[in-house]
Amino acid sequence: MADDSGTYVFFVGAGPGAVDLITVRGVRLLEKADVIVWAGSLVNGELLDFARKDAAVFDSSTMSLEETTRVLCEASSAKKLCVRLHTGDPSIFGAIREQMEELDVRGVRYEVVPGVSSFSAAAAVLKTEYTVPEISQSLIITRMEGRTPVPGRERLRAMAAHGTSMALFLSSSMIESVVDELLLGGVYTKETPAAVVYKATWKGERTIRGILGDIAKKCVDAGIKKTALILVGEFLGAAYNKSKLYDKTFETGFRKRRDV
């Protein structure tokens, strides 16, 4: 069954791990789906409990782009509702652009349903805020260069030169090199707070806190090599300033200034 626009293919963000962190819209689509293509190596399999018993399910971890495209196109042609289930939010390291372009070429309509990203989940697990007034007002989401290159201007040392809050995906297996690159940026030091969050919101969730001087060893000693985010920046430290948002002396469009 398509939606009112005649769309049959939906790219759905599954959220960071916990079953109840998928969006309500995502659950409703899973419940109605005739076909589901899911990232079996990354997405919590318990989400498939929302699916109909007669839904056709494909694990994209064993499929190529051509194979997933064929399933999506065949579902749309047969007027079957198809959910392409991605981990976290599809827009961040989700490799959905190439899939969408394949559908565009074939004239297949689709929609994207956003999800909770693991960088948001990691902050929630650590009970922290990336944007701390006068400490850090920006967040860089990036990755260490590995088998997949990154643009030269986005090498980790160049990004580290900003010294702001940073969340690194797909990099925990190279954490020693990550630390070296971050320090070459010239702003972070070995005393800069850092953390590693493994499988945020999953049942096997683990967190490691430290500083750039020791986080790599702690991570290696813990045996964490993948499915983890590396966070770095002063937002993880003790320093902070209160925002103006709730300051009684700060007037807003909704609240008058109070001097006492």
mmCIF file of all heavy atoms in Angstrom, residues 190-228:
data_model
loop_
_atom_site.group_PDB
_atom_site.id
_atom_site.type_symbol
_atom_site.label_atom_id
_atom_site.label_comp_id
_atom_site.label_asym_id
_atom_site.label_seq_id
_atom_site.Cartn_x
_atom_site.Cartn_y
_atom_site.Cartn_z
ATOM 1 N N LYS A 190 46.959 16.521 24.951
ATOM 2 C CA LYS A 190 46.795 15.207 25.571
ATOM 3 C C LYS A 190 45.846 15.267 26.766
ATOM 4 O O LYS A 190 45.348 14.234 27.219
ATOM 5 C CB LYS A 190 48.148 14.642 25.997
ATOM 6 C CG LYS A 190 49.025 14.228 24.826
ATOM 7 C CD LYS A 190 50.309 13.556 25.286
ATOM 8 C CE LYS A 190 51.127 13.088 24.098
ATOM 9 N NZ LYS A 190 52.386 12.409 24.527
ATOM 10 N N GLU A 191 45.582 16.477 27.275
ATOM 11 C CA GLU A 191 44.669 16.637 28.407
ATOM 12 C C GLU A 191 43.233 16.913 27.980
ATOM 13 O O GLU A 191 42.335 17.002 28.834
ATOM 14 C CB GLU A 191 45.163 17.786 29.309
ATOM 15 C CG GLU A 191 46.554 17.565 29.893
ATOM 16 C CD GLU A 191 46.631 16.298 30.721
ATOM 17 O OE1 GLU A 191 45.704 16.056 31.523
ATOM 18 O OE2 GLU A 191 47.610 15.537 30.554
ATOM 19 N N THR A 192 42.991 17.035 26.683
ATOM 20 C CA THR A 192 41.640 17.297 26.195
ATOM 21 C C THR A 192 40.731 16.103 26.499
ATOM 22 O O THR A 192 41.089 14.956 26.218
ATOM 23 C CB THR A 192 41.653 17.560 24.676
ATOM 24 O OG1 THR A 192 42.449 18.727 24.402
ATOM 25 C CG2 THR A 192 40.234 17.784 24.159
ATOM 26 N N PRO A 193 39.576 16.345 27.088
ATOM 27 C CA PRO A 193 38.663 15.244 27.421
ATOM 28 C C PRO A 193 38.226 14.469 26.171
ATOM 29 O O PRO A 193 38.060 15.049 25.089
ATOM 30 C CB PRO A 193 37.469 15.951 28.070
ATOM 31 C CG PRO A 193 38.018 17.252 28.558
ATOM 32 C CD PRO A 193 39.061 17.654 27.557
ATOM 33 N N ALA A 194 38.050 13.175 26.354
ATOM 34 C CA ALA A 194 37.624 12.308 25.249
ATOM 35 C C ALA A 194 36.777 11.176 25.815
ATOM 36 O O ALA A 194 36.829 10.871 27.008
ATOM 37 C CB ALA A 194 38.829 11.762 24.494
ATOM 38 N N ALA A 195 35.993 10.567 24.946
ATOM 39 C CA ALA A 195 35.165 9.433 25.366
ATOM 40 C C ALA A 195 34.925 8.516 24.176
ATOM 41 O O ALA A 195 34.985 8.946 23.020
ATOM 42 C CB ALA A 195 33.832 9.915 25.929
ATOM 43 N N VAL A 196 34.685 7.254 24.479
ATOM 44 C CA VAL A 196 34.286 6.282 23.461
ATOM 45 C C VAL A 196 32.978 5.659 23.932
ATOM 46 O O VAL A 196 32.874 5.216 25.078
ATOM 47 C CB VAL A 196 35.360 5.189 23.261
ATOM 48 C CG1 VAL A 196 34.839 4.095 22.338
ATOM 49 C CG2 VAL A 196 36.641 5.793 22.700
ATOM 50 N N VAL A 197 31.974 5.666 23.053
ATOM 51 C CA VAL A 197 30.683 5.059 23.383
ATOM 52 C C VAL A 197 30.440 3.919 22.410
ATOM 53 O O VAL A 197 30.328 4.129 21.205
ATOM 54 C CB VAL A 197 29.534 6.081 23.310
ATOM 55 C CG1 VAL A 197 28.215 5.414 23.703
ATOM 56 C CG2 VAL A 197 29.821 7.264 24.226
ATOM 57 N N TYR A 198 30.364 2.722 22.964
ATOM 58 C CA TYR A 198 30.152 1.514 22.168
ATOM 59 C C TYR A 198 28.679 1.133 22.181
ATOM 60 O O TYR A 198 28.064 1.013 23.241
ATOM 61 C CB TYR A 198 30.997 0.377 22.753
ATOM 62 C CG TYR A 198 30.724 -0.998 22.182
ATOM 63 C CD1 TYR A 198 31.216 -1.366 20.937
ATOM 64 C CD2 TYR A 198 29.980 -1.931 22.898
ATOM 65 C CE1 TYR A 198 30.980 -2.630 20.414
ATOM 66 C CE2 TYR A 198 29.732 -3.200 22.383
ATOM 67 C CZ TYR A 198 30.236 -3.539 21.136
ATOM 68 O OH TYR A 198 29.987 -4.788 20.631
ATOM 69 N N LYS A 199 28.105 1.002 21.000
ATOM 70 C CA LYS A 199 26.707 0.583 20.832
ATOM 71 C C LYS A 199 25.759 1.350 21.756
ATOM 72 O O LYS A 199 25.039 0.777 22.578
ATOM 73 C CB LYS A 199 26.566 -0.924 21.042
ATOM 74 C CG LYS A 199 27.356 -1.761 20.058
ATOM 75 C CD LYS A 199 26.950 -3.225 20.051
ATOM 76 C CE LYS A 199 26.040 -3.518 18.892
ATOM 77 N NZ LYS A 199 25.773 -4.973 18.722
ATOM 78 N N ALA A 200 25.756 2.647 21.599
ATOM 79 C CA ALA A 200 24.886 3.507 22.419
ATOM 80 C C ALA A 200 23.429 3.066 22.329
ATOM 81 O O ALA A 200 22.904 2.872 21.236
ATOM 82 C CB ALA A 200 25.016 4.962 21.969
ATOM 83 N N THR A 201 22.819 2.895 23.465
ATOM 84 C CA THR A 201 21.407 2.511 23.684
ATOM 85 C C THR A 201 21.119 1.031 23.430
ATOM 86 O O THR A 201 19.995 0.584 23.626
ATOM 87 C CB THR A 201 20.395 3.363 22.872
ATOM 88 O OG1 THR A 201 20.351 2.933 21.508
ATOM 89 C CG2 THR A 201 20.719 4.846 22.970
ATOM 90 N N TRP A 202 22.120 0.251 23.007
ATOM 91 C CA TRP A 202 21.930 -1.193 22.873
ATOM 92 C C TRP A 202 22.046 -1.833 24.261
ATOM 93 O O TRP A 202 22.558 -1.234 25.205
ATOM 94 C CB TRP A 202 22.997 -1.806 21.973
ATOM 95 C CG TRP A 202 22.887 -1.475 20.518
ATOM 96 C CD1 TRP A 202 23.107 -0.251 19.936
ATOM 97 C CD2 TRP A 202 22.576 -2.374 19.452
ATOM 98 N NE1 TRP A 202 22.941 -0.346 18.592
ATOM 99 C CE2 TRP A 202 22.619 -1.629 18.252
ATOM 100 C CE3 TRP A 202 22.274 -3.734 19.396
ATOM 101 C CZ2 TRP A 202 22.361 -2.202 17.012
ATOM 102 C CZ3 TRP A 202 22.025 -4.299 18.150
ATOM 103 C CH2 TRP A 202 22.069 -3.544 16.980
ATOM 104 N N LYS A 203 21.647 -3.074 24.368
ATOM 105 C CA LYS A 203 21.764 -3.787 25.641
ATOM 106 C C LYS A 203 23.225 -3.949 26.057
ATOM 107 O O LYS A 203 23.536 -3.989 27.237
ATOM 108 C CB LYS A 203 21.069 -5.147 25.541
ATOM 109 C CG LYS A 203 19.553 -5.046 25.409
ATOM 110 C CD LYS A 203 18.904 -6.393 25.218
ATOM 111 C CE LYS A 203 17.392 -6.262 25.040
ATOM 112 N NZ LYS A 203 16.735 -7.571 24.765
ATOM 113 N N GLY A 204 24.122 -4.055 25.085
ATOM 114 C CA GLY A 204 25.542 -4.221 25.389
ATOM 115 C C GLY A 204 26.330 -2.927 25.426
ATOM 116 O O GLY A 204 27.563 -2.939 25.314
ATOM 117 N N GLU A 205 25.641 -1.813 25.600
ATOM 118 C CA GLU A 205 26.276 -0.494 25.620
ATOM 119 C C GLU A 205 27.431 -0.416 26.618
ATOM 120 O O GLU A 205 27.348 -0.929 27.728
ATOM 121 C CB GLU A 205 25.202 0.524 25.977
ATOM 122 C CG GLU A 205 25.690 1.898 26.351
ATOM 123 C CD GLU A 205 24.549 2.700 26.957
ATOM 124 O OE1 GLU A 205 23.585 2.987 26.234
ATOM 125 O OE2 GLU A 205 24.620 3.005 28.176
ATOM 126 N N ARG A 206 28.504 0.260 26.194
ATOM 127 C CA ARG A 206 29.655 0.503 27.085
ATOM 128 C C ARG A 206 30.181 1.898 26.834
ATOM 129 O O ARG A 206 30.157 2.397 25.710
ATOM 130 C CB ARG A 206 30.776 -0.514 26.828
ATOM 131 C CG ARG A 206 30.379 -1.952 27.114
ATOM 132 C CD ARG A 206 31.446 -2.925 26.642
ATOM 133 N NE ARG A 206 32.669 -2.802 27.416
ATOM 134 C CZ ARG A 206 33.810 -3.427 27.106
ATOM 135 N NH1 ARG A 206 33.862 -4.192 26.032
ATOM 136 N NH2 ARG A 206 34.867 -3.291 27.863
ATOM 137 N N THR A 207 30.671 2.534 27.892
ATOM 138 C CA THR A 207 31.265 3.862 27.745
ATOM 139 C C THR A 207 32.642 3.898 28.394
ATOM 140 O O THR A 207 32.873 3.260 29.423
ATOM 141 C CB THR A 207 30.383 4.951 28.392
ATOM 142 O OG1 THR A 207 30.273 4.688 29.800
ATOM 143 C CG2 THR A 207 28.996 4.972 27.771
ATOM 144 N N ILE A 208 33.530 4.639 27.773
ATOM 145 C CA ILE A 208 34.880 4.835 28.310
ATOM 146 C C ILE A 208 35.168 6.324 28.288
ATOM 147 O O ILE A 208 35.007 6.979 27.250
ATOM 148 C CB ILE A 208 35.934 4.092 27.465
ATOM 149 C CG1 ILE A 208 35.680 2.588 27.487
ATOM 150 C CG2 ILE A 208 37.337 4.400 27.976
ATOM 151 C CD1 ILE A 208 36.591 1.806 26.553
ATOM 152 N N ARG A 209 35.569 6.861 29.404
ATOM 153 C CA ARG A 209 35.945 8.269 29.494
ATOM 154 C C ARG A 209 37.445 8.380 29.753
ATOM 155 O O ARG A 209 38.041 7.508 30.390
ATOM 156 C CB ARG A 209 35.184 8.975 30.615
ATOM 157 C CG ARG A 209 33.719 9.281 30.306
ATOM 158 C CD ARG A 209 33.096 10.015 31.478
ATOM 159 N NE ARG A 209 31.722 10.401 31.257
ATOM 160 C CZ ARG A 209 31.327 11.568 30.771
ATOM 161 N NH1 ARG A 209 32.233 12.487 30.457
ATOM 162 N NH2 ARG A 209 30.045 11.853 30.615
ATOM 163 N N GLY A 210 38.010 9.455 29.258
ATOM 164 C CA GLY A 210 39.427 9.676 29.499
ATOM 165 C C GLY A 210 39.851 11.001 28.913
ATOM 166 O O GLY A 210 39.050 11.949 28.816
ATOM 167 N N ILE A 211 41.094 11.066 28.527
ATOM 168 C CA ILE A 211 41.658 12.235 27.856
ATOM 169 C C ILE A 211 42.389 11.724 26.618
ATOM 170 O O ILE A 211 42.604 10.505 26.466
ATOM 171 C CB ILE A 211 42.625 13.010 28.779
ATOM 172 C CG1 ILE A 211 43.723 12.071 29.306
ATOM 173 C CG2 ILE A 211 41.879 13.672 29.928
ATOM 174 C CD1 ILE A 211 44.780 12.767 30.156
ATOM 175 N N LEU A 212 42.752 12.612 25.723
ATOM 176 C CA LEU A 212 43.423 12.153 24.516
ATOM 177 C C LEU A 212 44.725 11.419 24.828
ATOM 178 O O LEU A 212 45.165 10.569 24.051
ATOM 179 C CB LEU A 212 43.699 13.326 23.571
ATOM 180 C CG LEU A 212 42.494 13.826 22.763
ATOM 181 C CD1 LEU A 212 42.905 14.957 21.827
ATOM 182 C CD2 LEU A 212 41.862 12.693 21.971
ATOM 183 N N GLY A 213 45.290 11.702 25.976
ATOM 184 C CA GLY A 213 46.532 11.037 26.348
ATOM 185 C C GLY A 213 46.367 9.575 26.720
ATOM 186 O O GLY A 213 47.342 8.809 26.693
ATOM 187 N N ASP A 214 45.139 9.156 27.070
ATOM 188 C CA ASP A 214 44.981 7.756 27.492
ATOM 189 C C ASP A 214 43.785 7.030 26.869
ATOM 190 O O ASP A 214 43.603 5.830 27.077
ATOM 191 C CB ASP A 214 44.875 7.671 29.020
ATOM 192 C CG ASP A 214 43.637 8.366 29.599
ATOM 193 O OD1 ASP A 214 42.697 8.685 28.845
ATOM 194 O OD2 ASP A 214 43.617 8.606 30.829
ATOM 195 N N ILE A 215 42.962 7.737 26.084
ATOM 196 C CA ILE A 215 41.732 7.119 25.583
ATOM 197 C C ILE A 215 42.004 5.961 24.627
ATOM 198 O O ILE A 215 41.259 4.965 24.608
ATOM 199 C CB ILE A 215 40.814 8.179 24.918
ATOM 200 C CG1 ILE A 215 39.392 7.627 24.757
ATOM 201 C CG2 ILE A 215 41.389 8.649 23.590
ATOM 202 C CD1 ILE A 215 38.670 7.386 26.035
ATOM 203 N N ALA A 216 43.086 6.050 23.848
ATOM 204 C CA ALA A 216 43.391 4.979 22.899
ATOM 205 C C ALA A 216 43.709 3.681 23.636
ATOM 206 O O ALA A 216 43.188 2.613 23.302
ATOM 207 C CB ALA A 216 44.549 5.379 21.996
ATOM 208 N N LYS A 217 44.547 3.772 24.658
ATOM 209 C CA LYS A 217 44.898 2.573 25.424
ATOM 210 C C LYS A 217 43.680 1.989 26.127
ATOM 211 O O LYS A 217 43.479 0.763 26.153
ATOM 212 C CB LYS A 217 45.979 2.890 26.452
ATOM 213 C CG LYS A 217 46.470 1.655 27.215
ATOM 214 C CD LYS A 217 47.579 1.996 28.175
ATOM 215 C CE LYS A 217 48.159 0.728 28.814
ATOM 216 N NZ LYS A 217 47.131 -0.131 29.447
ATOM 217 N N LYS A 218 42.854 2.853 26.689
ATOM 218 C CA LYS A 218 41.653 2.378 27.368
ATOM 219 C C LYS A 218 40.724 1.657 26.396
ATOM 220 O O LYS A 218 40.121 0.632 26.733
ATOM 221 C CB LYS A 218 40.916 3.557 28.025
ATOM 222 C CG LYS A 218 41.604 4.121 29.263
ATOM 223 C CD LYS A 218 40.768 5.243 29.865
ATOM 224 C CE LYS A 218 41.381 5.755 31.168
ATOM 225 N NZ LYS A 218 40.552 6.829 31.783
ATOM 226 N N CYS A 219 40.616 2.189 25.215
ATOM 227 C CA CYS A 219 39.748 1.589 24.201
ATOM 228 C C CYS A 219 40.300 0.237 23.741
ATOM 229 O O CYS A 219 39.554 -0.742 23.641
ATOM 230 C CB CYS A 219 39.617 2.542 23.018
ATOM 231 S SG CYS A 219 38.422 2.033 21.776
ATOM 232 N N VAL A 220 41.586 0.186 23.485
ATOM 233 C CA VAL A 220 42.222 -1.066 23.059
ATOM 234 C C VAL A 220 42.127 -2.116 24.159
ATOM 235 O O VAL A 220 41.804 -3.285 23.909
ATOM 236 C CB VAL A 220 43.694 -0.821 22.664
ATOM 237 C CG1 VAL A 220 44.413 -2.143 22.432
ATOM 238 C CG2 VAL A 220 43.774 0.045 21.407
ATOM 239 N N ASP A 221 42.404 -1.702 25.393
ATOM 240 C CA ASP A 221 42.333 -2.640 26.524
ATOM 241 C C ASP A 221 40.926 -3.197 26.700
ATOM 242 O O ASP A 221 40.746 -4.336 27.140
ATOM 243 C CB ASP A 221 42.773 -1.940 27.820
ATOM 244 C CG ASP A 221 44.278 -1.666 27.851
ATOM 245 O OD1 ASP A 221 45.000 -2.212 26.990
ATOM 246 O OD2 ASP A 221 44.714 -0.897 28.728
ATOM 247 N N ALA A 222 39.914 -2.406 26.342
ATOM 248 C CA ALA A 222 38.528 -2.836 26.468
ATOM 249 C C ALA A 222 38.098 -3.700 25.291
ATOM 250 O O ALA A 222 36.994 -4.255 25.296
ATOM 251 C CB ALA A 222 37.609 -1.628 26.585
ATOM 252 N N GLY A 223 38.955 -3.807 24.283
ATOM 253 C CA GLY A 223 38.645 -4.636 23.122
ATOM 254 C C GLY A 223 37.618 -4.031 22.181
ATOM 255 O O GLY A 223 37.001 -4.741 21.384
ATOM 256 N N ILE A 224 37.452 -2.723 22.242
ATOM 257 C CA ILE A 224 36.480 -2.054 21.376
ATOM 258 C C ILE A 224 37.150 -1.685 20.056
ATOM 259 O O ILE A 224 38.105 -0.910 20.027
ATOM 260 C CB ILE A 224 35.910 -0.806 22.061
ATOM 261 C CG1 ILE A 224 35.126 -1.211 23.311
ATOM 262 C CG2 ILE A 224 35.019 -0.016 21.098
ATOM 263 C CD1 ILE A 224 34.624 -0.047 24.133
ATOM 264 N N LYS A 225 36.635 -2.244 18.974
ATOM 265 C CA LYS A 225 37.232 -2.021 17.662
ATOM 266 C C LYS A 225 36.247 -1.502 16.625
ATOM 267 O O LYS A 225 36.649 -1.048 15.556
ATOM 268 C CB LYS A 225 37.860 -3.325 17.150
ATOM 269 C CG LYS A 225 38.992 -3.853 18.028
ATOM 270 C CD LYS A 225 39.548 -5.136 17.453
ATOM 271 C CE LYS A 225 40.692 -5.683 18.324
ATOM 272 N NZ LYS A 225 41.236 -6.956 17.781
ATOM 273 N N LYS A 226 34.966 -1.617 16.897
ATOM 274 C CA LYS A 226 33.980 -1.158 15.922
ATOM 275 C C LYS A 226 32.666 -0.848 16.634
ATOM 276 O O LYS A 226 32.524 -1.086 17.835
ATOM 277 C CB LYS A 226 33.748 -2.204 14.841
ATOM 278 C CG LYS A 226 33.231 -3.538 15.359
ATOM 279 C CD LYS A 226 33.039 -4.534 14.212
ATOM 280 C CE LYS A 226 32.510 -5.869 14.724
ATOM 281 N NZ LYS A 226 32.291 -6.829 13.627
ATOM 282 N N THR A 227 31.710 -0.326 15.869
ATOM 283 C CA THR A 227 30.383 0.040 16.379
ATOM 284 C C THR A 227 30.489 0.964 17.588
ATOM 285 O O THR A 227 29.771 0.820 18.574
ATOM 286 C CB THR A 227 29.565 -1.221 16.745
ATOM 287 O OG1 THR A 227 29.897 -2.289 15.872
ATOM 288 C CG2 THR A 227 28.075 -0.929 16.618
ATOM 289 N N ALA A 228 31.407 1.918 17.498
ATOM 290 C CA ALA A 228 31.612 2.856 18.600
ATOM 291 C C ALA A 228 31.902 4.244 18.046
ATOM 292 O O ALA A 228 32.467 4.390 16.957
ATOM 293 C CB ALA A 228 32.766 2.396 19.482
#
